Amino acid sequence: METSRRPDHEPPAPSPGGGPTQVPAAPFLTGRTALVTGAASGIGRACAQALAAAGAHVHVVDKAGEAARSLAGEIGGTAWVVDLSDPGVVDTLPAHADVVVNNAGLQHVAPVHTFPPERFALIQRVMVETPFRILRRTLPGMYERGWGRVVNISSVHGLRASPYKSAYVTAKHALEGLSKVVALEAAEHGVTSNCVSPGYVRTPLVENQIADQARTHGISQEEVVGRVMLERSAIKRLIEPADVAEAVLWLCGPRTGHITGTSLSMDGGWTAN
């Protein structure tokens, strides 16, 4: 029985040396617009760069003005210098976005009984309320166009808890829930919603956590990485931001329309325990 093969499934032509020819990935997001929060550094920066390389026009959203404008200039995007702790600021951002990456976040390490309530509330505003407000603003356009990709940068702490991180763990668990609700509501409109949930990534936020936990536990920063951060991970090294960005880009690709409501773990085996 003969079978037909779609052109995009054809194997690459052999090179003169006999091995496969490496064909660059097509810019499959050409004509699309992406909005990335916390985009001036770390995971957000890597996501903005990856989405732009795939052809998207990227809205670089961050309160670090100089870094946001520099990155926007580098990738041909648009910088939006805003403080996402102000709920009303979302209404100043573009409502047109085919891809939304909710990445902005912050951390505070302290036991529950000494955790500052105002800091707890701030973390919920930035990491839960702001993603909700952004999606409330951008989803109608995605529905109208019949296509959209929502990728929420969660964490292993959206799936597991650790002591001294009550606000962060609460926020990431809430983000996972929001993502699933959007997946159910948006499916009929051609819009997917997923979380990417990494372990510890080599970012400024993690570097700050290392220092905070060293003070909290009374140990060295080297011991924090080995004994605290990576204790439950089978792979004993920090994740690179570009690796997370590749997962985000994959979820925005042409073969992932049935992947929605999921949490893609990138935790080095942490949640396998």
Side-chain angles (χ1 to χ4, degrees):
M1 176 179 175
E2 290 188 351
T3 59
S4 61
R5 182 185 292 271
R6 285 167 45 180
D8 57 1
H9 284 179
E10 290 288 354
S15 66
T21 300
Q22 296 299 316
V23 179
F28 57 86
L29 291 177
T30 297
R32 303 289 190 186
T33 300
L35 186 151
V36 183
T37 66
S41 66
I43 294 172
R45 178 182 176 86
C47 289
Q49 291 171 323
L51 292 165
H57 180 89
V58 180
H59 294 294
V60 177
V61 181
D62 205 292
K63 68 178 182 179
E66 184 177 346
R69 285 187 284 266
S70 175
L71 176 61
E74 172 191 320
I75 65 175
T78 303
W80 297 83
V81 182
V82 295
D83 184 352
L84 294 175
S85 66
D86 175 4
V89 81
V90 170
D91 292 336
T92 70
L93 298 176
H96 181 117
D98 301 296
V99 175
V100 169
V101 179
N102 286 309
N103 166 72
L106 64 156
Q107 178 65 279
H108 187 88
V109 178
V112 170
H113 67 280
T114 64
F115 207 102
E118 65 280 3
R119 192 71 174 171
F120 188 96
L122 171 65
I123 289 173
Q124 307 316 305
R125 283 202 306 276
V126 173
M127 296 170 59
V128 183
E129 183 176 351
T130 290
F132 160 75
R133 286 177 176 270
I134 288 174
L135 294 177
R136 184 177 184 274
R137 183 168 171 80
T138 55
L139 281 173
M142 294 185 194
Y143 292 172
E144 183 179 343
R145 294 185 295 276
W147 192 91
R149 295 291 182 266
V150 176
V151 186
N152 300 296
I153 305 301
S154 181
S155 164
V156 66
H157 284 117
L159 307 171
R160 297 288 189 273
S162 290
Y164 309 112
K165 296 183 177 181
S166 57
Y168 189 85
V169 170
T170 298
K172 291 301 189 183
H173 273 68
L175 185 63
E176 295 267 353
L178 174 64
S179 184
K180 291 174 183 177
V181 171
V182 171
L184 296 178
E185 293 183 3
E188 64 181 295
H189 303 287
V191 177
T192 65
S193 176
N194 294 284
C195 287
V196 174
S197 303
Y200 287 101
V201 183
R202 195 185 305 279
T203 66
L205 180 63
V206 166
E207 296 294 339
N208 291 335
Q209 286 184 54
I210 293 171
D212 287 344
Q213 291 214 29
R215 287 190 294 270
T216 299
H217 296 288
I219 59 178
S220 71
Q221 293 191 18
E222 291 75 16
E223 288 176 298
V224 168
V225 174
R227 286 175 45 193
V228 179
M229 288 188 165
L230 300 182
E231 178 186 12
R232 288 170 284 183
S233 174
I235 299 175
K236 303 295 185 182
R237 63 177 183 272
L238 295 177
I239 303 164
E240 298 301 327
D243 294 339
V244 182
E246 284 297 320
V248 171
L249 191 63
W250 177 71
L251 286 170
C252 297
R255 303 290 188 271
T256 55
H258 279 78
I259 301 175
T260 195
T262 68
S263 184
L264 177 59
S265 296
M266 299 183 65
D267 58 18
W270 184 330
T271 52
N273 288 308

